Amino acid sequence: MTVSKRISLLGSTGSIGRQSLEVMAARGMTAAALTANQNVDLLEEQCRRFRPELAVLTDPAAAADLRLRLADTSVRVASGTEGLEEAASLESADTVLTAVMGMVGLRPTLAAIRAGKRVALANKETLVCAGELVMDAAARYGADIVPVDSEHSAIFQCLQGCRDRREVRRLILTASGGPFWDWPAEQIAGATVEQALRHPNWSMGAKITVDSASMMNKGLEFIEAMRLYRLPAEQISIVIHRESIVHSLVEFRDGAILAQLGAPDMRLPIQYALTWPERTPGPAAPLDLLSCPPLTFCAPDLARFPCLALALEAARRGGAATAALNGANEAAVGLFLAGKIPFGDIAERVARALADAPRLPEPGLEDILAADAAARRTAAR
Ligand code: NDP
Ligand code: MG
């Protein structure tokens, strides 16, 4: 099997997007398409360096600006969510790396699957909202979905060579606990944007950094794991591991536990999602066991991190509840980042939206989009 070489990178200006371009440059992979929301300056720079066939800015005014700026090149510029879907299904791409933030990744992910691409998936919100639809479509069209999220990549790596999923007793997701893990509840509720954005181990986009502080991120990852590996909630657990060196583990039915370890560097899981099943040299430095800190593990505290408790509730309910959870959280985190609500309100707003969410065990795409929209409205009220 050959290592994939031509990539449509959705969200190229973000934290994952920029690290993906480093991996691609180091491995001599080319870009078929690069996309962003409105960051014209950086996308122009990336297009001049990587010369994709297509560049997309979802914001139409920003796209018009980029078109003028790239007039001296052969790069075609498109806009809107149609532009994203086109980037996801370009004939010349073999792999689509979805690193956009939020539920906006759903339609392009489905487009990539229908076009039979390998999907290297960083965009966890898509699986949280519509994981069953996405995984069913991938099975129908024979598209591989390879996770980029470090925990899911760790599990994916531990499962290589496991021929029968019934051998898996449980998945163990590790969580850093974020910046507030040892803070009292009242202090967490009043945390500022600046405090929430100070993650101890990872440098990431603003939304996922806030999700890490509330531990909603681990809740979203719990649901992501259920969908990716088609396991019930009872077979997934979460442990706090402050050092972020053990990226996750799989316990098998004979009692053996496999783990994947590494320094916290997203370029490794990004690269593996692009080169799997091969392993190649790359920019990520290996972990030095002799200088790494002692590895510690403890149980999460659901009382101080109500967002995690809400996500576990949505996971157990299934159906449209996870789309409502995610939509409400995206809206509430947006309000928090804009300085409009206190940190503690994120969980309250998500709880309200989850309580109102429709009980639909097998939602279709339209049901999911409706549950998402309703939850965003409830959370914004
Ligand atoms: P960033 O906020 O850094 O980047 C988001 C990217 O998506 C940017 O390119 C942005 O464009 C684009 N984008 C944002 N909104 C829209 C929109 N409405 N339409 C189209 N494009 C949009 O996020 P991250 O890179 O941190 O995260 C991306 C995804 O990867 C998330 O789902 C996150 O949960 C997941 N992930 C991230 C990890 C990390 O280490 N960062 C780790 C594991 C998972 P623009 O720059 O123009 O705004
Ligand atoms: Mg993660």
Side-chain angles (χ1 to χ4, degrees):
M1 184 159 301
T2 54
V3 168
S4 55
K5 293 212 170 55
R6 196 159 167 80
I7 294 154
S8 278
L9 174 54
L10 313 186
S12 62
T13 55
S15 160
I16 293 286
R18 284 176 273 125
Q19 296 179 83
S20 301
L21 288 173
E22 282 179 40
V23 169
M24 288 163 60
R27 297 301 317 154
M29 297 172 180
T30 60
L34 297 177
T35 85
N37 188 30
Q38 40 72 27
N39 190 341
V40 191
D41 291 341
L42 183 54
L43 192 58
E44 179 190 358
E45 199 183 305
Q46 293 178 342
C47 286
R48 291 195 179 277
R49 175 149 184 235
F50 287 87
R51 297 288 163 157
E53 179 183 329
L54 178 68
V56 180
L57 281 165
T58 21
D59 181 84
D65 185 7
L66 185 69
R67 197 169 292 120
L68 287 178
R69 296 196 198 187
L70 291 177
D72 63 320
T73 70
S74 59
V75 180
R76 189 160 59 81
V77 177
S79 71
T81 46
E82 318 78 55
L84 277 186
E85 287 181 52
E86 187 188 352
S89 43
L90 274 188
E91 179 77 39
S92 68
D94 44 64
T95 299
V96 175
L97 202 166
T98 60
V100 294
M101 190 282 285
M103 153 88 165
V104 65
L106 176 56
R107 285 185 191 276
T109 301
L110 289 171
I113 290 171
R114 281 194 293 269
K117 309 296 186 195
R118 164 177 302 184
V119 179
L121 191 74
N123 174 236
K124 65 188 83 184
E125 293 89 351
T126 282
L127 282 183
V128 171
C129 292
E132 273 152 24
L133 287 185
V134 168
M135 297 309 288
D136 286 348
R140 194 159 58 246
Y141 289 93
D144 288 316
I145 306 235
V146 188
V148 168
D149 208 350
S150 57
E151 295 77 3
H152 306 76
S153 173
I155 290 166
F156 185 77
Q157 294 179 57
C158 294
L159 287 174
Q160 298 300 307
C162 168
R163 289 200 207 106
D164 184 348
R165 260 319 136 71
R166 286 169 305 182
E167 292 176 356
V168 173
R169 186 184 286 156
R170 65 180 176 133
L171 310 180
I172 306 167
L173 292 171
T174 53
S176 74
F180 306 150
W181 82 290
D182 54 357
W183 288 24
E186 319 75 69
Q187 200 184 339
I188 298 177
T192 65
V193 171
E194 198 206 340
Q195 288 167 327
L197 289 180
R198 220 179 286 137
H199 195 281
N201 305 345
W202 298 94
S203 159
M204 312 178 284
K207 190 263 182 182
I208 182 175
T209 307
V210 173
D211 285 348
S212 299
S214 69
M215 291 202 68
M216 177 60 92
N217 184 51
K218 209 49 54 178
L220 299 178
E221 290 183 352
F222 186 97
I223 300 165
E224 183 185 7
M226 287 173 70
R227 305 293 200 244
L228 267 175
Y229 300 109
R230 304 227 174 206
L231 286 171
E234 303 74 57
Q235 275 179 274
I236 304 176
S237 39
I238 295 171
V239 294
I240 303 290
H241 168 53
R242 291 295 289 160
E243 299 78 27
S244 298
I245 284 176
V246 176
H247 295 309
S248 278
L249 315 90
V250 178
E251 181 181 311
F252 293 89
R253 63 183 173 194
D254 58 359
I257 293 181
L258 296 190
Q260 186 253 328
L261 281 68
D265 184 338
M266 286 307 298
R267 291 174 303 180
L268 197 144
I270 290 169
Q271 176 173 309
Y272 191 63
L274 299 177
T275 65
W276 170 81
E278 293 177 23
R279 287 190 185 271
T280 63
L287 174 70
D288 178 7
L289 283 174
L290 298 183
S291 66
C292 86
L295 306 182
T296 62
F297 302 92
C298 66
D301 179 349
L302 297 185
R304 280 184 308 119
F305 293 96
C307 281
L308 178 56
L310 289 165
L312 297 179
E313 182 194 328
R316 277 187 294 271
R317 264 175 65 182
T322 59
L325 173 95
N326 180 72
N329 183 59
E330 283 191 30
V333 171
L335 291 171
F336 170 70
L337 283 170
K340 296 196 172 131
I341 63 169
F343 190 76
D345 263 28
I346 298 175
E348 275 177 35
R349 286 167 190 251
V350 172
R352 241 191 291 140
L354 191 57
D356 287 355
R359 308 248 161 200
L360 291 173
E362 283 181 30
L365 184 57
E366 295 311 315
D367 303 320
I368 286 168
L369 296 174
D372 169 76
R376 282 171 199 266
R377 282 194 301 273
T378 305
R381 263 204 305 273

